[in-house]
Amino acid sequence: MQEQMVDIESEKKEILKRYRALLRAVKPGSPDDDRKQIRTAFNMALDAHKDMRRKSGEPYIFHPLAVAQIVAEDIGLGSTAVVAALLHDVVEDTHVTLEDIEKIFGKKVASIVDGLTKISGVFEQGSSQQAENFRKMLLTLSDDVRVILIKLSDRLNNMRTLDFMEREKQLKIASETLYLYAPLAHRLGLYAFKTELEDLALKYTEPEVYKMIDSKLQETSKERARFIKEFSDPLVDELKEQELKFEIRGRPKSIHSIWNKMRKQGVSFEEIYDLFAVRIIIDADVAEEKAACWQAYSVVTDFYHPNPDRLRDWISTPKANGYESLHTTVMGPSGKWVEVQIRSRRMDEVAEKGYAAHWKYKDSATAAETALDEWVNKIRELLQNPDSNALDFIDEFKLNLFSDEIFVFTPTGDLKKLPTGSTALDFAFDIHTDIGAHCIGAKVNHRLVPLSHKLKSGDQVEILTSSKQKPKEDWLTYVVTARAKAKIKAALKEDKRRIAEDGKEILERKFRHLKIEFNQTNINELLLYYRLPSSQELFFRIAKEIIDVGDLKEFANNKGHIKATAQPQPEKPEQSLEELVRSVRGKSDMLVIGDTMERFDYKLSPCCNPIPGDDVFGFITINEGIKIHRVNCPNAIHLMSNYAYRIVKAKWTSKAELAFLAGIKIIGIDNVGVINKITKVISSDLKVNMRSVNFDSKDGMFEGTIMLFVNDTTHLTKLMSKLKNISGITTVNRIDTN
Ligand code: MN
């Protein structure tokens, strides 16, 4: 029950106000402009959710209204999508059925809502429910990409209202967002979505970091504006002189991308030079836009010296998500590198609004659209691979999402796009499965190279084949594309099956010879004898002569003894895991670490070395009991989003006098005695035990990694600030692993 009296009248007014705002956001004259349908959908959703409230206490209808608003305003979709967005939660949460929706709104809307309806009880069940769900959603992509766009809008609204959830829920939802939804938005070219999703996720996974960067960005905004003006002024004059119509903007990078850089490069906020990019947007006809962009590029580089390694031309070759732009990094005033993005108005809209903008410019039949179609085809191909289970599928999918691309050419000059790190073998499989399977080598730019040769953009590749060649196990270690991996695995499996067939015949002959009947009972005994999981494995080993059929005599002699023991059980580790999870969950809701009375075995995970005071969770493993990870552990996102049911809450008790391993990285100027000072602070002033110390110096700078034992985060923080005070030391950071 609500403690406060809800003012029903003003709530009704607010609902109507939001509904009218939605109607205004739906662009008139869009191909499916049907306001009557929107009204019907709104009334249906309003009625179906009438007794429900969100965690914030607001009426539930605020949520579908907000999602529909994003769909119409930010993505620019028409009324079919708006109707589906309004109804996206009714089938799952209310008495309304899919049949009801189909009757009133037709097949299209019903199939979109179906794609959006999650499998019920998602988090309670097995490991891959979430993955399965995601797969279901992507399957609908091949029918209608609007499912994905509405799902992303739903996620965006949920992230915006995450404040009211419990901490565990926040972490899970935020992790999932980073793991799946932000990359998906990126892949679809929805940059504004991607950035907001990432920033919001960071706000909940690393609240302190988020606050710190956010406030530093605000503090430095004046200074940044001054710098951007100084940088742009001469460009503005010259671009005007050349009679280009343009707009010039300087925008800070997202908080998440700044944080990524700080982490990857181990530098502080102040040391990140490219906090912002300058963007020049040119108004030009489609026919002239490419020339106009290069004209602007020429103006920029007349004033500022470009870094030759940092020119990116995504106008001539758009990214797979349709992104078109010209990027260069130039040396700006006061010796700072500045990234400059040059693009036309149309390209800018495509970059911000992604797919929707493609629709808008459909008549112009741009290269960007072809690229997008190609992408949808790739996803479809992935989805049609029947072999992969849901979790593999997501990994493969992510493989395709994250990779940057290279462009290579066939001998006849056809362009192929592959992920960075692709080898000659990936290229072969990209052309055709048969070519990949029979590939023995390649010629790259007319030079002979091995299969594992990594390709670079611009390479021209000719594949050499032999009919005798077939896929090998070790090929899997150097292909990177999901397609090549899947094809090689399938071929190896088939190969193994055929070899096993031969092995079966050999065994049959041997049994006949030893007068043992060739039946399942005797085969099972043999499996037990050799401790093998399946008859296929047994047959395979026999054919490969890993098992010597000569030894079977001994087996035949011992047969009587073995019989007494149990039949081999095809026991799955999953089963015992389920039990383990149940037993842990059943006994305690919260794992308490450091308490002498703890009931479960736990280990502190070496991947992030948690110490008391860290925000942590427990992860139930199959063989090693419960492992404790930091919430910001690099592996946490993956664990939380894929194995939510194996996560247990964990917290530290008031600290015992225990010592925990932590790592810090120190960077500074290599002057006489500095290392001595560091070790003195650690060992005598603060009486900390070091486990390992590593110092490297180069060109007058040194970098040190120290693994030491501390009691908790307070202890560690104190130590780090003492180290920072030593003259010559520039940065001190905690690191995750040793
Ligand atoms: Mn929803």
Side-chain angles (χ1 to χ4, degrees):
M1 282 291 110
Q2 296 294 114
E3 281 184 24
Q4 251 172 306
M5 279 294 290
V6 179
D7 182 349
I8 300 289
E9 274 316 302
S10 67
E11 248 179 33
K12 265 191 191 154
K13 268 190 199 144
E14 183 60 30
I15 293 171
L16 277 179
K17 200 174 122 200
R18 293 187 188 200
Y19 170 63
R20 278 188 220 107
L22 170 65
L23 287 180
R24 278 196 301 280
V26 182
K27 282 176 200 68
S30 63
D32 56 346
D33 187 7
D34 190 343
R35 271 145 218 270
K36 233 178 97 195
Q37 291 263 36
I38 297 178
R39 171 155 209 111
T40 317
F42 167 67
N43 284 328
M44 185 186 226
L46 186 62
D47 182 60
H49 293 299
K50 68 175 181 294
D51 298 323
M52 296 165 62
R53 286 183 180 272
R54 300 211 94 203
K55 279 260 159 71
S56 59
E58 290 178 338
Y60 195 87
I61 190 72
F62 279 13
H63 169 64
L65 272 172
V67 175
Q69 183 86 19
I70 296 170
V71 161
E73 189 164 293
D74 298 335
I75 313 189
L77 298 181
S79 58
T80 306
V82 169
V83 165
L86 284 169
L87 300 173
H88 81 271
D89 276 336
V90 294
V91 174
E92 192 191 338
D93 298 338
T94 77
H95 59 271
V96 177
T97 65
L98 265 183
E99 290 75 54
D100 297 339
I101 291 178
E102 188 173 334
K103 232 178 273 159
I104 301 171
F105 302 96
K107 269 212 162 67
K108 189 86 250 176
V109 171
S111 84
I112 296 176
V113 173
D114 186 32
L116 288 162
T117 303
K118 292 180 248 147
I119 302 163
S120 50
V122 169
F123 304 109
E124 286 17 281
Q125 299 173 24
S127 67
S128 55
Q129 276 297 322
Q130 187 64 5
E132 199 54 64
N133 223 359
F134 195 70
R135 180 184 174 125
K136 189 183 175 198
M137 181 179 93
L138 288 173
L139 271 166
T140 338
L141 171 74
S142 37
D143 302 335
D144 201 321
V145 77
R146 283 175 287 196
V147 175
I148 313 287
L149 297 172
I150 297 169
K151 185 74 206 171
L152 281 171
S153 307
D154 181 34
R155 180 49 61 125
L156 184 58
N157 183 249
N158 285 335
M159 286 300 293
R160 283 174 179 168
T161 51
L162 207 52
D163 263 346
F164 300 96
M165 292 281 178
E166 302 155 35
R167 177 84 178 128
E168 268 72 28
K169 261 270 170 79
Q170 286 178 343
L171 282 174
K172 164 150 178 55
I173 294 174
S175 304
E176 242 171 50
T177 300
L178 279 180
Y179 185 71
L180 294 174
Y181 293 96
L184 185 61
H186 185 196
R187 200 58 162 124
L188 284 167
L190 292 160
Y191 283 86
F193 271 54
K194 173 203 171 239
T195 307
E196 191 177 347
L197 286 173
E198 282 178 345
D199 278 1
L200 285 168
L202 187 67
K203 187 176 159 189
Y204 293 99
T205 53
E206 303 256 23
E208 264 99 58
V209 169
Y210 180 88
K211 259 181 244 149
M212 181 268 288
I213 297 176
D214 188 41
S215 70
K216 288 204 172 180
L217 274 178
Q218 280 169 25
E219 280 165 30
T220 54
S221 77
K222 269 210 184 107
E223 188 191 321
R224 248 187 352 260
R226 209 179 316 122
F227 181 84
I228 290 166
K229 188 170 180 322
E230 190 191 344
F231 178 85
S232 319
D233 278 349
L235 299 179
V236 170
D237 293 343
E238 183 57 28
L239 289 167
K240 274 187 188 154
E241 186 75 20
Q242 300 200 8
E243 297 184 341
L244 282 169
K245 276 177 69 189
F246 66 95
E247 182 192 336
I248 189 162
R249 293 187 211 149
R251 296 174 119 196
K253 298 228 161 128
S254 77
I255 294 179
H256 183 265
S257 69
I258 291 172
W259 172 230
N260 249 349
K261 221 164 219 177
M262 288 170 65
R263 270 220 301 211
K264 262 196 207 137
Q265 301 174 358
V267 296
S268 65
F269 178 88
E270 285 73 20
E271 289 166 277
I272 295 201
Y273 61 86
D274 51 350
L275 280 171
F276 56 87
V278 169
R279 187 178 298 167
I280 302 173
I281 299 164
I282 299 169
D283 290 296
D285 291 340
V286 175
E288 272 119 49
E289 57 183 10
K290 186 174 174 184
C293 288
W294 282 106
Q295 192 184 345
Y297 172 82
S298 155
V299 169
V300 171
T301 51
D302 278 349
F303 284 92
Y304 303 111
H305 202 73
N307 180 338
D309 296 336
R310 304 281 308 163
L311 174 65
R312 298 284 179 272
D313 173 12
W314 284 305
I315 294 180
S316 309
T317 336
K319 285 193 190 182
N321 63 16
Y323 184 82
E324 291 169 271
S325 193
L326 203 55
H327 289 195
T328 178
T329 302
V330 298
M331 182 57 80
S334 57
K336 277 192 187 129
W337 288 109
V338 177
E339 185 185 299
V340 184
Q341 308 171 344
I342 303 167
R343 52 174 88 154
S344 70
R345 179 77 56 193
R346 179 191 64 81
M347 296 172 191
D348 192 52
E349 261 188 65
V350 169
E352 296 287 323
K353 290 196 172 179
Y355 202 80
H358 286 289
W359 282 351
K360 182 174 165 189
Y361 291 96
K362 198 153 191 161
D363 294 335
S364 63
T366 55
E369 202 181 311
T370 326
L372 194 78
D373 285 346
E374 271 173 31
W375 175 68
V376 174
N377 282 336
K378 276 245 168 72
I379 295 289
R380 204 171 286 158
E381 195 178 286
L382 256 182
L383 290 164
Q384 279 159 358
N385 179 5
D387 249 14
S388 60
N389 72 39
L391 277 179
D392 277 353
F393 168 78
I394 289 208
D395 282 342
E396 279 171 17
F397 177 74
K398 279 170 63 67
L399 212 61
N400 282 357
L401 281 181
F402 282 129
S403 39
D404 267 333
E405 292 159 326
I406 54 168
F407 302 101
V408 291
F409 298 92
T410 67
T412 52
D414 282 342
L415 179 77
K416 294 269 171 201
K417 285 180 205 182
L418 292 169
T420 305
S422 289
T423 57
L425 191 56
D426 284 300
F427 178 86
F429 274 102
D430 193 72
I431 293 178
H432 195 275
T433 308
D434 275 345
I435 300 204
H438 295 117
C439 178
I440 50 168
K443 278 184 178 172
V444 171
N445 308 324
H446 307 292
R447 257 190 47 235
L448 200 64
V449 298
L451 296 176
S452 57
H453 179 84
K454 280 204 168 69
L455 301 175
K456 288 196 300 292
S457 265
D459 281 347
Q460 188 162 41
V461 191
E462 184 188 344
I463 295 297
L464 309 170
T465 58
S466 154
S467 58
K468 297 231 165 57
Q469 177 71 302
K470 57 183 190 178
K472 305 263 174 10
E473 191 87 38
D474 70 315
W475 285 13
L476 288 170
T477 58
Y478 48 77
V479 294
V480 302
T481 53
R483 183 190 166 88
K485 276 197 177 147
K487 299 289 181 194
I488 294 169
K489 276 187 195 158
L492 290 173
K493 225 168 141 187
E494 174 56 27
D495 210 31
K496 188 162 185 178
R497 197 190 56 75
R498 269 190 311 98
I499 294 171
E501 286 287 308
D502 295 345
K504 189 177 171 187
E505 275 173 35
I506 297 171
L507 186 67
E508 224 176 325
R509 272 202 303 276
K510 189 70 195 173
F511 267 24
R512 211 179 306 138
H513 185 72
L514 291 169
K515 308 229 165 7
I516 303 173
E517 201 186 329
F518 190 76
N519 59 20
Q520 196 57 44
T521 317
N522 285 330
I523 291 171
N524 282 347
E525 272 182 39
L526 204 51
L527 288 180
L528 197 65
Y529 183 73
Y530 285 109
R531 295 175 195 281
L532 292 173
S534 69
S535 15
Q536 195 198 44
E537 189 62 41
L538 174 73
F539 300 152
F540 177 77
R541 285 180 190 219
I542 288 170
K544 282 278 181 188
E545 294 175 4
I546 302 167
I547 289 177
D548 185 356
V549 277
D551 293 347
L552 288 181
K553 234 193 192 121
E554 196 191 331
F555 163 73
N557 295 337
N558 287 333
K559 222 167 110 43
H561 300 290
I562 295 165
K563 208 158 199 158
T565 50
Q567 296 279 318
Q569 289 166 0
E571 191 194 340
K572 285 190 221 139
E574 287 297 314
Q575 286 176 324
S576 54
L577 179 69
E578 300 284 341
E579 271 162 35
L580 181 63
V581 171
R582 221 172 299 128
S583 72
V584 172
R585 280 275 163 92
K587 277 190 205 159
S588 150
D589 195 35
M590 173 79 82
L591 177 71
V592 174
I593 313 162
D595 192 326
T596 44
M597 300 294 287
E598 84 271 2
R599 278 169 294 181
F600 303 106
D601 266 355
Y602 65 82
K603 265 192 196 141
L604 301 175
S605 176
C607 61
C608 54
N609 287 324
I611 62 176
D614 280 334
D615 220 350
V616 289
F617 65 92
F619 183 73
I620 303 168
T621 67
I622 302 170
N623 298 320
E624 297 175 284
I626 298 164
K627 277 199 167 176
I628 306 298
H629 292 262
R630 272 153 67 184
V631 163
N632 55 9
C633 166
N635 298 322
I637 290 174
H638 178 77
L639 296 178
M640 288 199 245
S641 50
N642 281 326
Y643 304 103
Y645 76 113
R646 286 165 66 181
I647 304 280
V648 283
K649 293 183 217 173
K651 72 164 188 207
W652 304 92
T653 48
S654 57
K655 31 227 106 123
E657 280 297 303
L658 288 168
F660 294 89
L661 192 62
I664 50 177
K665 188 168 157 188
I666 305 175
I667 297 172
I669 295 153
D670 192 11
N671 59 28
V672 183
V674 69
I675 291 174
N676 191 28
K677 278 182 216 155
I678 293 170
T679 46
K680 188 167 167 291
V681 165
I682 296 175
S683 56
S684 43
D685 291 12
L686 284 156
K687 303 219 177 347
V688 175
N689 270 325
M690 285 183 279
R691 192 178 84 169
S692 66
V693 187
N694 245 310
F695 280 96
D696 266 329
S697 68
K698 203 180 129 196
D699 305 334
M701 297 291 290
F702 77 87
E703 207 184 284
T705 313
I706 303 176
M707 300 303 295
L708 36 73
F709 290 99
V710 293
N711 297 337
D712 53 27
T713 41
T714 327
H715 190 190
L716 183 64
T717 314
K718 195 165 141 207
L719 175 69
M720 285 170 58
S721 69
K722 271 220 157 182
L723 288 171
K724 246 178 234 167
N725 284 336
I726 298 175
S727 72
I729 290 187
T730 50
T731 59
V732 179
N733 284 314
R734 181 166 172 198
I735 52 172
D736 292 330
T737 43
N738 36 348

